Structure formats: structure tokens, C-alpha cells
Amino acid sequence: MNAMKTFVLTSLFAGCAAAQGFNDRPPNGSDQEPAFENQTRAPALPRVAVAHRTVVDGLEHPWGMAQLPDGSWLVTERPGRLRLVAPDGTLSAPITGLPKVDAEDQGGLLDVIVGDDFADTRRLWVSFAERDPDNLTHVSVATGVLSKDATRVEDARVIWRQTPYPSTLHYGSRLVLDDKGGLFVTTGERGGNEFRHAAQDLQTTLGKVVRIDPLTGAPMGKPGVAGALPEIWSWGHRNMQGAALAPDGSLWTTEHGPMGGDELNKPQAGRNYGWPDVSYGTEYSGEQITEGLTQKEGTEQPVYYWDPSIAPSGLVFYEGEMFPDWNGDLLLGGLQSSSIVRLKLSGDRVVGEARYLQNVGRVRDVDVAQDGAIMLLTDEDGGALIRMTPR
């Protein structure tokens, strides 16, 4: 493994969309209109110079990361490995003790998180794809305790399993501990025309935000609909691979659309976010989604959407000292855009967008280090943990 590369690369961005190189392409949904100003293609933010360096590379499709109090990072690799990256870039051997994962297609070991009390409890949570005895697959969430020497997860146990389906796509699967004792889990609707309408079925957990007790998995959702599964928080989602808690304690998510129609949402309990009845995306064939509707009574509009797609994955609110003007901004990874995307908010609306490190690779996750540096994971055969700072 190549740790702590010494070279520094610089990325400069102009203050207009044309110069920055994003939003140059026409939307796929050329006849669609946003519901309100700046719901898409918000003004480009002023130029900022940044530098980045690779902390460690050679990772096999890394997916999620969590910083520990000593400055090291837990990093998942989709084939089923959990690693520890020391502050100096040293990469550990795989940490043992996790449940068996199913790594076919988009499955594998996915997200990892720790709580604010990790220094005392050493508790962590992981999400992963699992295959059941009937050969169906689902997202599962497990919790356990990282050993003092960080070589194994002790007492790992599965606390929650998604509705199983015969698909190996669209697992979603970000984890967020809230400030009221709950654990949010985002799920995908498992992909394709055959399964997508399950996102509207309140007897499944496909295409949902669910909220559970982080130690027992007991339902803590608020669907507000008779007969709905009690762990459901919101529904009508496609494939949520970004989730973060805002400074005010509210949950925000990003999800993949099909061809265009990627969304930023602020999911509210008991609300329907439309998929697949409503979408700003189009089929990969170019045909309309369902009836081609972008608005429908009883469904919520996204706070923001992208067309063409950026394929958003990973989400965090910036809070730190290195980029003081960015405090309160949203940062997300772009798989298809191969960049870090920054959104400036005013209340619950986006007022500006910028992109950094364009062509850095498929950015699967993004987080903020203790010193305010921005950390990203690139999802490649030889993926990397990368540190971004001001130049």
C-alpha cells in the first residue's frame, strides 16, 4: 500500500457554471420545469483553490468510513473487509468478527459509523448485503464492539434486516445516529421496473428511510399511516447512498435517480417522496418514468435535483476550521461526476453549487476530519482515502 503520498495536486474553479465545466450539458428531461427557483442548476459559487493528497491507496472498492477519537479511520471495503487507517496512513489487516456479507453486484460491506461515546463504548455499526436461506438478499445492520487492539469486532450481532428480494442492486444503506436515541437506515428499492414500485408499498422496507433502536433494532419510525410497518420514517425513495444529520438535528439524504433526477431531500416523518410515480429523471432508454410526472399531490418535492446525473454518494454538513466560509454547507461525493460537490444553503433551499477535484475518481463517501480537512473515498479496484485542504 502507498501511504501518505507527498505530492500535492491543485484544483481551481472559476465563478461561473460555464467555466467550471458543470451544467454545460443539456438536461435529459428537456421538457421538465423545476418547481421553484434554484431547485436545480443553482448559481455556481466563487472560485476556491484546494489541494489534495492520498493518505492510503490500493483499497478494494471502499464504501464507508468513520473517524475514531485518535484520528484514525475505519474504512469498509465492499468484498467484506473492515480496515483501520492510522493517522500516518498505515493500513491494518482486515478486522475480524463481522457477519458474512454477500458481495455480488452492488452488494457487500457498505457503511460504518461510530457514536460520540466511542471512546467509552468502542461500539460501531455496519450495514451490509446479506443472503438468506431462500437465496434472497437484503440490507442488514449489525452492531458490535471494536477490541482494544482494533483487530476484531466483538459480540457482533445483526439487529435489523430489510425485506428480502431477489435482486443484487440498489441497496442504499447509509447509517445515521440521530440526537434523540434513534438510528436512521436508508434503503434502496432494489432496482429495475420489476421492483421499483415497492418504494410505495408500506408493507416493505424497500425504498424507505427506516428508524430503529440502535441496540435492539426495535421500530422507532413514524409512518403515520394505518397498517404501515412501524420502522418506516419516509418512503418513495429510489436508492439513497447519502445521509447526514444537520446541525439542527434534521436528517438530509441524497439518492440516485435513473438518467438524471438525482435528489437531495430532507425526509420528514410520514411523507412520500414520490418514486417511481414522480421523478425528474428519465429511463435509461430515454422513455418517461411511469407517466412522466414531476409533481403529484401527496408527494414531496426534492430540495434539489441534478440532471444530468452526478450519482451522489456520501453526505456531510461541513463544520470545521479549514474552510470557515463553508460552515453549514453540504458536501457530497459524486460517482459519475467524479468530484466533491458543495451546496450552499439558505434555510431549506440551495443557493449555490460548486465542484472540486473534478476527475479525482468515483467519490463514494465524504467526511470531515477533526482538524477540518475534507476526507473522501474513491470507489475503484484500487480505491483511495484522500485528504482535501485549502491551498
Side-chain angles (χ1 to χ4, degrees):
M1 301 300 172
N2 187 354
M4 301 295 275
K5 288 184 177 177
T6 57
F7 62 83
V8 175
L9 302 178
T10 302
S11 181
L12 294 175
F13 294 88
C16 66
Q20 290 190 331
F22 66 90
N23 290 341
D24 288 348
R25 294 164 53 201
N28 297 296
S30 57
D31 58 343
Q32 297 175 348
E33 294 291 335
F36 49 82
E37 184 180 8
N38 290 344
Q39 192 184 21
T40 189
R41 298 179 182 238
L45 297 169
R47 68 167 62 200
V48 173
V50 300
H52 73 283
R53 63 177 173 82
T54 298
V55 177
V56 65
D57 61 9
L59 299 168
E60 188 173 359
H61 293 285
W63 209 94
M65 58 180 162
Q67 189 171 33
L68 303 185
D70 65 359
S72 59
W73 290 86
L74 290 171
V75 175
T76 64
E77 293 177 291
R78 232 172 0 100
R81 294 183 291 270
L82 179 65
R83 306 277 201 141
L84 188 73
V85 180
D88 66 358
T90 301
L91 183 67
S92 77
I95 296 169
T96 63
L98 291 179
K100 182 180 179 180
V101 308
D102 185 87
E104 184 179 357
D105 293 330
Q106 295 177 4
L109 183 59
L110 303 172
D111 209 8
V112 59
I113 61 169
V114 300
D116 292 338
D117 60 354
F118 178 85
D120 297 322
T121 67
R122 300 191 65 81
R123 183 164 295 280
L124 58 81
W125 290 260
V126 294
S127 62
F128 59 100
E130 189 176 31
R131 190 172 293 272
D132 72 6
D134 296 322
N135 207 33
L136 304 178
T137 59
H138 47 79
V139 170
S140 296
V141 178
T143 186
V145 174
L146 185 65
S147 64
K148 289 296 180 74
D149 62 3
T151 62
R152 65 192 182 279
V153 178
E154 299 172 338
D155 303 320
R157 53 192 170 84
V158 175
I159 59 170
W160 183 81
R161 290 182 169 96
Q162 180 192 39
T163 307
Y165 252 64
S167 169
T168 53
L169 305 175
H170 291 195
Y171 288 97
S173 195
R174 289 294 174 187
L175 304 175
V176 177
L177 290 163
D178 68 21
D179 57 3
K180 297 180 176 62
L183 172 62
F184 287 112
V185 186
T186 71
T187 76
E189 33 68 292
R190 307 308 303 279
N193 293 331
E194 185 178 359
F195 304 130
R196 61 175 49 164
H197 288 279
Q200 293 293 322
D201 182 356
L202 296 181
Q203 282 297 301
T204 80
T205 55
L206 306 177
K208 311 294 191 296
V209 175
V210 302
R211 183 169 180 263
I212 58 175
D213 183 284
L215 294 181
T216 68
M220 296 180 69
K222 296 181 180 179
V225 177
L229 294 177
E231 62 263 46
I232 292 174
W233 179 265
S234 61
W235 63 94
H237 301 285
R238 186 172 182 267
N239 188 16
M240 290 174 287
Q241 291 189 354
L245 211 64
D248 66 1
S250 59
L251 178 71
W252 291 65
T253 61
T254 55
E255 64 187 82
H256 295 276
M259 193 163 67
D262 299 337
E263 294 184 1
L264 169 70
N265 287 300
K266 185 182 179 182
Q268 305 293 302
R271 302 286 180 88
N272 179 0
Y273 288 81
W275 178 259
D277 299 335
V278 178
S279 176
Y280 284 97
T282 57
E283 300 281 13
Y284 295 111
S285 66
E287 299 296 316
Q288 292 182 336
I289 300 291
T290 314
E291 299 177 4
L293 297 178
T294 59
Q295 300 182 47
K296 183 179 180 180
E297 185 176 357
T299 66
E300 304 299 315
Q301 282 289 303
V303 172
Y304 197 68
Y305 71 89
W306 291 268
D307 183 12
S309 176
I310 64 166
S313 186
L315 185 67
V316 68
F317 280 85
Y318 185 80
E319 295 180 83
E321 297 181 357
M322 283 197 183
F323 298 89
D325 293 339
W326 295 15
N327 278 298
D329 293 357
L330 270 170
L331 303 175
L332 55 141
L335 295 165
Q336 192 161 313
S337 66
S338 296
S339 63
I340 291 286
V341 180
R342 172 184 162 220
L343 299 177
K344 183 163 286 295
L345 303 177
S346 177
D348 291 345
R349 292 287 182 260
V350 175
V351 295
E353 179 177 356
R355 299 187 189 179
Y356 306 92
L357 306 185
Q358 295 189 84
N359 301 316
V360 73
R362 290 167 47 83
V363 180
R364 177 63 72 179
D365 200 10
V366 59
D367 208 339
V368 179
Q370 295 165 355
D371 63 0
I374 294 163
M375 309 297 291
L376 58 138
L377 284 175
T378 57
D379 184 350
E380 314 279 359
D381 288 339
L385 175 64
I386 295 171
R387 175 181 165 92
M388 180 176 115
T389 55
R391 184 172 187 271

